[in-house]
Amino acid sequence: MSGITIALSKGRIFEETLPLLAAAGITPTDDPEKSRKLIIGTNRPDVQLVIVRASDTPTYVQYGAADLGIAGRDVLIEHGGAGLYQPLDLNIARCRVCVAVRKGFDYARASQPGSRIRVATKYTKIAREHFASKGVHVDLIKLYGSMELAPLVGLSDAIVDLVSTGNTLRANNLEAVEDITTISSRLVVNQAALKVKRELLQPVIDAFAGAVKP
Ligand code: PRT
Ligand code: MG
């Protein structure tokens, strides 16, 4: 497409991106929560949105299938960021990455340097680096969702997952015992597209920058 393609995931990122799009004069013509369309038009004939899985956003932008995208820093760390220019922290979809365990589990003891711990997570890179920095041997179990279940059924001692309100942990008798890093979503731009289509992309990037809330 000679215009602009923006990759977004449904749910919190889409919702929190609407005001940023509005600041750039872009209004989607469909609601991805209601429509089954994967390509959504906008009021601007030269701008389309593609609806992707949150963890796939960097991949679409890396290969130029989308010029721009919005992705959580969690997803960007796991992806590695190759081919992506990351000009803006949008300060949306904020949360933190935590280590969590069953209430009563002696994490202080289980995470002594030199000890070995079983950790279930979707965030294997973040978890591996975190435990390596503590000198703890980690057996990682890769999961794709509902990490909270793993310690409850004995699949792991701990999980590494995102926490925002803490309600999910509380509802499952788990507690956060360590904060690893804070997360927000970032604008990602295909580096080649930025060179070729700068006159189209830069005004959108600038409008987003002007609409970021502290
Ligand atoms: O759902 P799917 O498997 O397709 O992908 P996804 O879960 O990665 O996507 P989505 O849309 O749920 O999240 C997109 C991005 O939002 C993530 O990559 C994060 O950067 C950001 N974000 C912010 C969150 C949360 N807050 C969050 N709370 N993503 C997920 N959660 C989950 C968390 O994993 C846990 O299961 O919500 C639960 C905890 O929430 P609280 O409020 O109970 O603590
Ligand atoms: Mg989700």
Side-chain angles (χ1 to χ4, degrees):
M1 186 188 174
S2 55
I4 303 175
T5 299
I6 305 176
L8 295 175
S9 53
K10 283 201 272 194
R12 66 192 103 217
I13 287 188
F14 189 85
E15 293 303 317
E16 296 193 49
T17 298
L18 283 174
L20 301 171
L21 289 171
I26 300 167
T27 312
T29 50
D30 274 295
D31 176 352
E33 300 297 341
K34 291 182 189 137
S35 160
R36 288 175 175 269
K37 283 189 192 168
L38 298 174
I39 301 180
I40 292 184
T42 71
N43 61 316
R44 277 179 54 175
D46 62 337
V47 180
Q48 66 177 6
L49 310 179
V50 293
I51 306 303
V52 303
R53 185 98 188 239
S55 47
D56 290 334
T57 301
T59 306
Y60 278 84
V61 177
Q62 172 187 5
Y63 289 100
D67 303 302
L68 306 176
I70 295 176
R73 198 168 72 87
D74 49 324
V75 163
L76 290 168
I77 294 171
E78 294 296 323
H79 171 271
L84 302 176
Y85 171 54
Q86 300 184 26
L88 277 181
D89 183 344
L90 300 170
N91 207 21
I92 59 171
R94 291 178 58 83
C95 57
R96 52 197 219 279
V97 186
C98 296
V99 181
V101 299
R102 263 166 60 189
K103 278 207 183 101
F105 178 84
D106 190 351
Y107 180 70
R109 182 185 170 138
S111 61
Q112 299 275 338
S115 56
R116 181 167 284 276
I117 189 167
R118 263 159 84 93
V119 175
T121 188
K122 170 165 146 183
Y123 302 105
T124 50
K125 197 165 166 185
I126 295 173
R128 187 175 295 112
E129 282 167 17
H130 176 68
F131 288 102
S133 76
K134 290 167 62 80
V136 174
H137 303 287
V138 63
D139 294 318
L140 286 174
I141 300 173
K142 169 83 184 187
L143 291 178
Y144 293 88
S146 300
M147 268 79 83
E148 293 87 355
L149 182 60
L152 303 180
V153 294
L155 179 62
S156 69
D157 303 313
I159 59 173
V160 167
D161 194 10
L162 305 179
V163 179
S164 57
T165 61
N167 288 340
T168 307
L169 293 181
R170 269 189 295 280
N172 290 292
N173 204 34
L174 302 172
E175 60 183 351
V177 285
E178 210 161 49
D179 283 353
I180 300 180
T181 186
T182 57
I183 298 291
S184 54
S185 286
R186 296 184 170 191
L187 180 65
V188 293
V189 185
N190 177 275
Q191 286 173 345
L194 187 60
K195 292 198 187 103
V196 180
K197 300 192 204 173
R198 189 181 277 276
E199 75 291 349
L200 263 181
L201 298 180
Q202 194 65 50
V204 175
I205 298 170
D206 292 344
F208 278 24
V212 171
K213 298 214 180 76

